[in-house]
Amino acid sequence: MYKTTEIASSEIASDNPIHQRLLFPYLHVSHLVSGNVLEIGCGTGRGVGVLAPQVSHYTGVDKNTELMDELSKKYPSFRFIDMFLPPLKDLPSDHFDFVITFQVIEHIENDDFFLQEAARVLKPGGKLYLTTVNKKFSLTRNPWHVREYDAHSLENLMKKHFSTVITEGIHGNAKVMEYYEENKKSVQKITRFDIFNLQYLLPRTWLQVPYDIANRMSRLIVSKANNQLVDSIQVEDYSLNQTPDSSFDFFYTGIK
């Protein structure tokens, strides 16, 4: 299976800073969730093992038959469904205590319907935990993303479907920021050849494979130049704050 840089692997050394960043929200919500949990876009199952001890029932959905089969074998007491989103087909309304969806909404064409469905399957008073990238920190156009959000646009969208929206952000310490700046320089070395700004003019599907190649090159360049920094970044180097606008990722809670 072709491994896009959208899937940051714990097995690829140069992916480590991104892997740790994506692991952080799972560790955070592992102290908050219980009961019946749905994860929309569970992907490779990065967070399933983290959440498993805290929940009585877990359902994971994603559009990848191979991954869902693998996760079903690894976690036989949990349910994994191969599903194109949205809608959350055949999942009952008012059913789940918590819904988790990390780094997914930016991939969804109909984001309004996506949130409507997430709210529908939650019990009254249930909570949605959602993360997505802050577009202010994107170094290039990401052709795997249908769109990216600023802090207010995401908050306003979620308020259409949830009675309360709590807005927080995930950011990194000085070590993480050093990596971000090094990666930024590496990306700029590659994108300087895009003199016609084609990354914003061409259809995004045309750019997905070139983007992955360039992104992988950039991560490798930083890793070779400063392997100690890349290897040293751990999940503890990321933290939750109350200023989403100045954070790498938004961490928003929607209460039904």
Side-chain angles (χ1 to χ4, degrees), residues 42-46 48 58 66-76 78 80:
C42 59
T44 60
R46 185 192 315 274
V48 181
Y58 172 97
E66 181 182 346
L67 284 178
M68 296 305 97
D69 289 344
E70 290 176 2
L71 288 170
S72 295
K73 293 174 184 176
K74 188 174 181 179
Y75 301 98
F78 291 162
F80 297 92

Side-chain angles (χ1 to χ4, degrees), residues 138-168:
S138 293
L139 299 177
T140 64
R141 178 192 182 187
N142 186 331
W144 293 98
H145 294 174
V146 176
R147 82 198 64 72
E148 294 178 350
Y149 302 87
D150 60 40
H152 293 299
S153 64
L154 180 60
E155 179 181 8
N156 290 336
L157 182 63
M158 288 184 64
K159 281 182 175 178
K160 294 174 62 177
H161 304 286
F162 296 90
S163 61
T164 302
V165 176
I166 301 169
T167 60
E168 298 173 293

Side-chain angles (χ1 to χ4, degrees), residues 8 25-26 29 39 55 59 64 77-78 80 94-95 110 113 119 138 142 151 156 165 185 190 195 208 238:
Y26 284 107
V29 301
E39 182 174 6
V55 305
T59 302
N64 190 312
S77 62
F78 291 162
F80 297 92
D94 305 318
H95 184 68
N110 192 338
F113 185 34
S138 293
N142 186 331
N156 290 336
V165 176
K185 292 175 186 176
I190 298 171
I195 58 175
Q208 287 171 345
Y238 295 91

Side-chain angles (χ1 to χ4, degrees), residues 97-153:
D97 298 296
F98 296 91
V99 172
I100 294 169
T101 182
F102 293 158
Q103 307 296 332
V104 175
I105 193 172
E106 65 272 17
H107 299 275
I108 303 297
E109 290 283 352
N110 192 338
D111 54 352
D112 186 72
F113 185 34
F114 177 79
L115 289 173
Q116 178 183 321
E117 281 289 275
R120 177 184 66 79
V121 300
L122 272 172
K123 294 176 181 178
K127 293 181 179 180
L128 168 75
Y129 294 121
L130 178 151
T131 69
T132 188
V133 65
N134 179 356
K135 70 178 184 180
K136 287 174 62 174
F137 283 87
S138 293
L139 299 177
T140 64
R141 178 192 182 187
N142 186 331
W144 293 98
H145 294 174
V146 176
R147 82 198 64 72
E148 294 178 350
Y149 302 87
D150 60 40
H152 293 299
S153 64

Side-chain angles (χ1 to χ4, degrees), residues 16 20-21 175-176 230-238:
N16 180 60
Q20 301 295 339
R21 172 175 160 186
K175 185 164 46 172
V176 174
V230 171
D231 287 349
S232 70
I233 292 174
Q234 297 299 315
V235 69
E236 293 82 8
D237 293 309
Y238 295 91

